Amino acid sequence: QVQLVESGGGLVQAGGSLRLSCAASGSIFSINVMGWYRQAPGKKRELVATITSGGWLNYAASVKGRFIISRDNAKNTVYLQMSSLKPEDTAVYYCNAARFGDAYWGQGTQVTVSS
């Protein structure tokens, strides 16, 4: 149906930056919202940021001002530029794509921020 391939995770020191990418392929028609979620061990998956095909943005309060989500509709790719990273940002980050009736997830990419 829809495949999401994430990249860009890694290990970074506090205060550093990382850029995550997620490319969508397959039956991508009518995909409206794309975004990023994260899940730390022992915690539930939480929304980080979303963006619609029209450019509407939504951020979690914990990342607003530090993270920027963007989308290249022509490339079917969503990005997450993460700056001023904190140890609390350590998690597996998952790409998400949604349309009416369906939601799709990437495999996840690990982001680890050392103190």
Side-chain angles (χ1 to χ4, degrees), residues 15-85:
S17 300
L18 285 173
R19 188 192 188 210
L20 306 183
S21 299
C22 173
S25 62
S27 300
I28 59 176
F29 61 91
S30 298
I31 292 291
N32 181 29
V33 182
M34 296 186 72
W36 293 93
Y37 294 70
R38 66 186 182 186
Q39 186 169 22
K43 297 183 179 179
K44 63 181 180 181
R45 189 173 298 185
E46 64 177 357
L47 182 149
V48 177
T50 61
I51 184 170
T52 70
S53 59
W56 289 92
L57 306 174
N58 186 45
Y59 293 96
S62 59
V63 307
K64 193 172 185 179
R66 299 188 297 119
F67 292 9
I68 300 175
I69 189 169
S70 61
R71 180 173 179 172
D72 187 333
N73 290 329
K75 297 181 179 180
N76 300 308
T77 301
V78 64
Y79 306 92
L80 186 68
Q81 178 65 51
M82 305 184 294
S83 301
S84 301
L85 283 162

Side-chain angles (χ1 to χ4, degrees), residues 7-12 17-20 36-41 67 80 82 85-94 108-114:
S7 62
L11 175 65
V12 64
S17 300
L18 285 173
R19 188 192 188 210
L20 306 183
W36 293 93
Y37 294 70
R38 66 186 182 186
Q39 186 169 22
F67 292 9
L80 186 68
M82 305 184 294
L85 283 162
K86 304 174 181 179
E88 305 94 279
D89 297 317
T90 296
V92 177
Y93 283 69
Y94 295 91
T109 184
Q110 177 71 47
V111 172
T112 302
V113 184
S114 61

